Amino acid sequence: MFELRPAAERGVANFGWLDSRHTFSFGHYHDPRQVGFSDLLVINDDRVAAGQGFGTHPHRDMEIFSYVLDGALAHEDSMGTGSVIRPGDVQMMSAGSGIRHSEFNASNSAPVHFLQIWIMPDRQGVEPRYQQRHFSAADKRGRLRLIISPDGADGSLGVYQDARVYAGLFDGLEQHTLALPPGRHAYVHLAQGRLVVNGQPMQAGDGARLRNAERIEFSQGKEAEVLVFDLRPNELPDF
């Protein structure tokens, strides 16, 4: 089953310095039909103006990762971590027993465009941790690269959940097929460009739920950047 989530139907939050699109219910945006999918709770597509950002705020018992599409994002947290993430970088923060952090546009002259994604953990109260790694464009060109997994396989970042996240870049004649274990669900988020997924055309910002998918086929990309989530076959209740 392929269920398209069109980009134009996402929730909108625009505060001037922040222009955000919410794939799932978040903040003041609530749609009972869009309350996450399996353990995937949040996909926020954020554009932050130069010199602006999110001041220090707390998180607890949540797996949070940021994926920069354009520009640079500065991060600081209560663990003493300070970093700047740029396109190709993946930042994973396990909030666990509690953490405070801030995220700001690292540039005073150009905007930053990034995805912030939340995954529900399979345990609570763990010691907070921070991970960051760069995945080159060549490593994702015409294929899906594992970037997040429960066991850190193939150099991916670890997550406290039975979930795997892949990133890929597709253009022109490049094609790829991802086989999934029996009974799994998957979510596809097209971050940029255009792409055909299982025969369905998608454009930037579109998402798709796939239930009990055996395989996902990617083709006919046009400057496409895609994230794919391999998830448990459970559905989150309304919240």
Side-chain angles (χ1 to χ4, degrees), residues 31 42 47 60 63 89 104 107 109 121 126 148 154 162-163 168 204 212 218 224 229 232 234 239:
D31 182 341
V42 169
R47 298 174 187 267
R60 184 182 181 92
E63 302 292 286
D89 295 337
F104 276 86
S107 172
S109 59
V126 300
I148 291 171
D154 196 22
D162 180 12
N212 300 310
F218 304 85
F229 301 81
R232 299 187 304 157
N234 68 309
F239 67 92

Side-chain angles (χ1 to χ4, degrees), residues 167-219:
L169 301 172
F170 295 94
D171 206 25
L173 299 177
E174 294 169 339
Q175 299 183 43
H176 184 80
T177 298
L178 175 67
L180 296 173
R184 299 287 286 184
H185 284 5
Y187 194 87
V188 176
H189 178 81
L190 186 57
Q192 301 190 103
R194 295 178 181 274
L195 188 63
V196 173
V197 180
N198 282 8
Q200 301 289 324
M202 295 180 66
Q203 61 184 356
D206 284 355
R209 290 176 169 90
L210 290 87
R211 294 178 173 87
N212 300 310
E214 295 182 359
R215 55 199 291 124
I216 312 176
E217 298 177 348
F218 304 85
S219 64

Side-chain angles (χ1 to χ4, degrees), residues 12-181:
V12 177
N14 193 326
F15 302 101
W17 64 271
L18 168 67
D19 185 6
S20 184
R21 299 294 182 272
H22 304 322
T23 293
F24 303 119
S25 295
F26 185 87
H28 295 296
Y29 167 66
H30 181 77
D31 182 341
R33 301 166 300 173
Q34 304 293 341
V35 289
F37 183 59
S38 179
D39 299 300
L40 176 60
L41 188 62
V42 169
I43 302 179
N44 287 349
D45 187 340
D46 292 341
R47 298 174 187 267
V48 177
Q52 301 294 316
F54 303 91
T56 302
H57 57 281
H59 290 286
R60 184 182 181 92
D61 292 325
M62 190 63 65
E63 302 292 286
I64 300 170
F65 78 91
S66 297
Y67 189 95
V68 174
L69 299 168
D70 188 50
L73 185 69
H75 164 93
E76 292 186 0
D77 62 44
S78 54
M79 293 182 289
T81 306
S83 65
V84 176
I85 58 174
R86 296 178 171 85
D89 295 337
V90 181
Q91 173 209 76
M92 168 65 79
M93 187 177 69
S94 298
S97 58
I99 192 171
R100 296 178 61 82
H101 80 136
S102 63
E103 292 173 299
F104 276 86
N105 188 336
S107 172
N108 289 317
S109 59
V112 61
H113 180 198
F114 71 103
L115 302 176
Q116 183 168 106
I117 297 167
W118 295 10
I119 295 173
M120 192 75 72
D122 62 7
R123 66 201 73 180
Q124 296 185 338
V126 300
E127 182 178 353
R129 69 177 179 181
Y130 179 91
Q131 306 165 76
Q132 182 174 326
R133 181 174 175 186
H134 182 80
F135 297 89
S136 70
D139 213 16
K140 297 176 284 187
R141 171 56 55 199
R143 63 185 290 263
L144 292 178
R145 172 64 160 96
L146 182 67
I147 61 172
I148 291 171
S149 69
D151 56 1
D154 196 22
S156 60
L157 304 182
V159 63
Y160 290 121
Q161 184 52 265
D162 180 12
R164 290 162 184 80
V165 185
Y166 299 84
L169 301 172
F170 295 94
D171 206 25
L173 299 177
E174 294 169 339
Q175 299 183 43
H176 184 80
T177 298
L178 175 67
L180 296 173

